[in-house]
Amino acid sequence: MLNLFVITLLLFTATASTAQDINHASASVETYGSASMDAEEDVVQEFLPKMSFSAVDYFKKKKEDGGASRYNIITPQSPSTMRAFLSDNPSCGDTIVTKYDKLSESPTTQPYAIELYKYCNLYVSGGVYLDADVKFLVDMQDVLKWEGETEPNNYAVLSDSANSGVEYTFETSDIALPITKSSSYQGIDEVSRHSIITTPLLAVPKAKSGVMKKMLELVEKTPLNSLEEEALLLHKALMGYVRQEEKKWVLFRQRCHGIVVAGGEERERVLRHCPPSHGFCCEIIDPQHKFVFMLSRHPLLPNQVLPSYSSLEKPHRHQLDPSTNIDEATMEQLPFLSTISLHPSNPKMYTPGNTETTPNLYQILSSLHALPNQEKNKQKCMDCLREKNGATCNALGVEGIDDSHSCVQDCPNYCGKLCEVPVTEKPVSKVLVVKKPKSKKDPERLIPRIIHQVRV
């Protein structure tokens, strides 16, 4: 028992950076709560002994130890290196270099330039794509198991688009249930309609993968504004293509905590942000052996980069008076707000109406003494119109017409004139333009949580 304690202590004190990561990992395990002790022990045993290398360090050490990786490892490179690779591989597409150049021009589309390189490389050579900000806890062969397989599996990471890790709270059963039920090692029959694929890791053993080719063509042909605004476009597409080749894919499971919506510095704000102080916010789990084998800093890859404040439409009051200060809370919400502005047309084109030329219905009924409060018995009329089951002005005694809640007797003038009075259409005095938000906090929702509130 003493030897085990000494070994564990040495592991925690190996290096300063390693100790910090181990502390983070240990805290994550403890957060799971009172789950099955056997399951927790399995995770801890696999979690702590091998937690030493970033993705780059891992493969560097493998080479130094004389055991160079048997896999084609693909990681993000410098822009010039990625562009040169695309240029040298025309099989990826005739216009792929042109699209890469366009994507590289703006910070909001630069992540998709990396996507072009990723899918082109995987299509040409096959291999393992790894994001730069991941940390391996075990030997890759312990997870991929490609050795000796005549038909090796493809591997991807399953996530949930409903929250993508935002404010996720661990339940007592989380250490087992998400691993065994939310991700199936044999297939993907049990995934939900909100399931997407994120790519801290994407492993394709053979070149000329049909899924990689489809993803490559999707990025190449999708307009820039669609890539900018549709945060889950590629994630959902990849999920769909994987479903079509279900038997060839194994899905790992991702679970995250401590994710911030629209976080980061102004020029690097992303839709789903893992603050540096939180360390590795996401764990990647092997659903077959039920252990965490990799850590990631990004809950969503590619992650949507939010536009800068200067490029966004401002609230209407600020457009009228640019000297008006916009409070910090409103500034942070600008990517998610609809904005209203005056159409830049000539005001002389429109002639405003007035009470005499274009009175509204209330004004017309008032002039005819046909308002409810102008009836002979106004209190009785008002009480009738307040009928909770729905007051009507239906005629009494007509066969086939429900007159149970009719107010014809109590409001004769009002009911007699309401549908007969002609109302002159109001002339247009101003034209307002409403622009939808550039981004969505919850990209899965079709209708915003609040649809009646507009910031002006």
Side-chain angles (χ1 to χ4, degrees):
M1 191 69 183
L2 180 58
N3 290 337
L4 178 61
F5 174 79
V6 172
I7 292 172
T8 305
L9 182 61
L10 288 174
L11 285 168
F12 273 80
T13 56
T15 64
S17 60
T18 303
Q20 181 180 0
D21 292 330
I22 291 176
N23 287 334
H24 169 76
S26 179
S28 298
V29 173
E30 292 170 1
T31 309
Y32 299 142
S34 56
S36 166
M37 289 301 294
D38 292 337
E40 184 170 350
E41 184 178 359
D42 290 341
V43 172
V44 174
Q45 287 175 352
E46 292 289 345
F47 203 90
L48 295 180
K50 301 177 181 180
M51 190 173 184
S52 302
F53 309 108
S54 67
V56 175
D57 291 338
Y58 173 84
F59 297 109
K60 182 179 178 182
K61 187 177 191 312
K62 291 281 287 185
K63 188 172 182 179
E64 292 173 349
D65 291 345
S69 175
R70 293 174 287 272
Y71 312 117
N72 173 36
I73 304 302
I74 304 165
T75 57
Q77 304 295 319
S78 67
S80 59
T81 301
M82 292 189 290
R83 188 182 189 281
F85 180 87
L86 297 176
S87 180
D88 292 340
N89 290 277
S91 62
C92 290
D94 296 334
T95 62
I96 193 169
V97 176
T98 302
K99 187 60 176 278
Y100 178 86
D101 291 338
K102 291 180 179 179
L103 291 171
S104 301
E105 291 175 357
S106 171
T108 56
T109 56
Q110 285 172 359
Y112 302 103
I114 298 176
E115 294 298 292
L116 277 180
Y117 169 75
K118 171 173 70 182
Y119 290 116
C120 178
N121 208 322
L122 287 172
Y123 174 72
V124 170
S125 308
V128 183
Y129 173 82
L130 294 170
D131 179 62
D133 293 327
V134 298
K135 184 175 286 291
F136 263 89
L137 311 183
V138 301
D139 191 293
M140 183 178 288
Q141 180 57 26
D142 292 343
V143 179
L144 298 188
K145 304 185 184 304
W146 281 351
E147 291 297 315
E149 294 288 336
T150 55
E151 290 295 329
N153 289 312
N154 303 286
Y155 292 85
V157 178
L158 185 72
S159 186
D160 189 346
S161 66
N163 55 26
S164 297
V166 177
E167 298 302 327
Y168 185 82
T169 302
F170 286 116
E171 302 293 342
T172 56
S173 58
D174 275 350
I175 200 164
L177 290 184
I179 302 172
T180 58
K181 290 191 175 181
S182 296
S183 254
S184 169
Y185 194 77
Q186 275 70 34
I188 56 175
D189 293 332
E190 300 175 14
V191 300
S192 72
R193 66 184 181 88
H194 294 295
S195 295
I196 59 172
I197 290 179
T198 182
T199 54
L201 175 149
L202 185 61
V204 181
K206 296 182 179 180
K208 309 303 179 183
S209 162
V211 172
M212 298 302 102
K213 183 63 173 178
K214 290 176 183 178
M215 289 301 297
L216 185 59
E217 292 174 347
L218 179 64
V219 181
E220 184 180 5
K221 296 178 181 179
T222 302
L224 298 185
N225 63 323
S226 296
L227 291 172
E228 281 182 310
E229 297 175 9
E230 298 296 328
L232 299 179
L233 189 150
L234 298 187
H235 311 77
K236 288 182 176 180
L238 185 53
M239 183 78 253
Y241 296 146
V242 166
R243 283 181 184 274
Q244 296 173 11
E245 294 188 356
E246 176 177 334
K247 294 181 180 179
K248 299 179 182 179
W249 287 83
V250 171
L251 298 181
F252 299 129
R253 178 69 180 178
Q254 171 179 276
R255 61 183 177 193
C256 304
H257 62 91
I259 305 300
V260 177
V261 180
E265 300 298 327
E266 179 179 349
R267 295 185 178 181
E268 298 178 355
R269 293 182 77 213
V270 291
L271 186 64
R272 299 290 184 259
H273 176 62
C274 174
S277 59
H278 291 188
F280 293 90
C281 291
C282 300
E283 301 166 330
I284 314 301
I285 303 164
D286 182 335
Q288 183 184 37
H289 299 101
K290 304 183 183 70
F291 71 95
V292 176
F293 71 89
M294 191 174 80
L295 303 179
S296 172
R297 297 187 189 277
H298 305 292
L300 199 62
L301 286 169
N303 207 344
Q304 184 183 41
V305 178
L306 300 177
S308 62
Y309 296 132
S310 59
S311 66
L312 293 168
E313 294 284 341
K314 304 301 186 295
H316 183 51
R317 66 176 184 273
H318 181 78
Q319 296 178 27
L320 296 176
D321 182 8
S323 63
T324 303
N325 292 326
I326 303 177
D327 60 272
E328 184 176 349
T330 302
M331 285 292 290
E332 291 181 355
Q333 299 302 315
L334 280 183
F336 312 108
L337 294 178
S338 295
T339 56
I340 299 177
S341 60
L342 285 174
H343 190 275
S345 53
N346 188 347
K348 294 181 180 180
M349 293 174 58
Y350 310 113
T351 304
N354 55 53
T355 302
E356 295 180 0
T357 59
T358 55
N360 58 32
L361 179 61
Y362 178 89
Q363 292 164 339
I364 295 174
L365 291 177
S366 178
S367 67
L368 298 174
H369 298 282
L371 290 173
N373 61 359
Q374 293 174 325
E375 293 285 356
K376 184 176 181 179
N377 190 337
K378 63 180 181 181
Q379 188 59 50
K380 197 171 184 180
C381 175
M382 298 291 284
D383 290 343
C384 181
L385 293 174
R386 291 191 184 100
E387 170 59 48
K388 292 183 179 179
N389 292 322
T392 70
C393 283
N394 292 340
L396 301 176
V398 179
E399 186 177 356
I401 297 179
D402 181 13
D403 60 5
S404 59
H405 300 299
S406 176
C407 297
V408 169
Q409 288 184 333
D410 299 325
C411 312
N413 293 333
Y414 177 72
C415 286
K417 300 294 184 182
L418 181 62
C419 296
E420 297 179 0
V421 174
V423 179
T424 305
E425 184 176 351
K426 294 279 187 180
V428 175
S429 59
K430 293 180 181 179
V431 177
L432 300 177
V433 178
V434 180
K435 294 185 178 180
K436 68 175 184 178
K438 282 280 189 179
S439 307
K440 299 177 183 178
K441 280 189 176 181
D442 186 350
E444 190 65 34
R445 293 182 66 90
L446 298 178
I447 302 175
R449 295 181 184 276
I450 301 177
I451 62 174
H452 64 272
Q453 190 172 20
V454 179
R455 189 73 62 88
V456 296

